[in-house]
Amino acid sequence: MKNVIRLEEILMLALAVYLNGLLPCPGWWYWAFFLTPDIGIAGYAINTRVGAFTYNLIHHKGLAVALYLIGALATLPLLQFAGVVLFGHSSFDRVLGYGLKFGDSFQNTHLGVIGKP
């Protein structure tokens, strides 16, 4: 099952790269901003519950899709770009096994425990 989920996430990352290519932004911007969503980890400086909330908020694909669609409807390519980056980055994280976090520990995710038990 993990391989099926990884394949699905790889295909979603490919979709994000494709959609980025349709935007009027320079292509290199995607890769320059690719790790920007990891700013959500900063919440862990406060505590694990806040960290999980900020991480999950920024890595939620629903937010990414909403930003993209609002940008498309309002003809705001930069908002679409933000949605594409969030979507692709979230997919990439899930390929690596970094799922949405539970409030007790960074390693405890919806995809299982990260690292060695």
Side-chain angles (χ1 to χ4, degrees):
M1 184 55 108
K2 282 190 176 187
N3 290 333
V4 172
I5 292 172
R6 279 198 173 114
L7 177 61
E8 182 180 48
E9 297 297 341
I10 288 168
L11 292 173
M12 283 190 257
L13 174 59
L15 174 64
V17 172
Y18 171 76
L19 290 174
N20 182 66
L22 300 178
L23 296 174
C25 306
W28 62 269
W29 280 16
Y30 184 81
W31 302 110
F33 288 96
F34 189 72
L35 296 178
T36 305
D38 280 337
I39 193 75
I41 293 173
Y44 281 96
I46 298 170
N47 64 42
T48 56
R49 180 173 275 173
V50 171
F53 175 79
T54 57
Y55 182 92
N56 291 343
L57 177 66
I58 294 175
H59 287 80
H60 197 286
K61 289 186 180 177
L63 174 63
V65 170
L67 289 175
Y68 182 84
L69 291 176
I70 292 168
L73 292 172
T75 58
L76 297 169
L78 290 179
L79 199 54
Q80 287 179 277
F81 174 75
V84 166
V85 169
L86 288 176
F87 190 81
H89 175 88
S90 297
S91 293
F92 180 73
D93 272 6
R94 291 182 181 131
V95 167
L96 299 178
Y98 294 98
L100 298 175
K101 311 299 182 202
F102 289 102
D104 61 338
S105 167
F106 180 82
Q107 288 80 18
N108 191 9
T109 77
H110 83 286
L111 296 176
V113 178
I114 300 169
K116 296 179 184 177

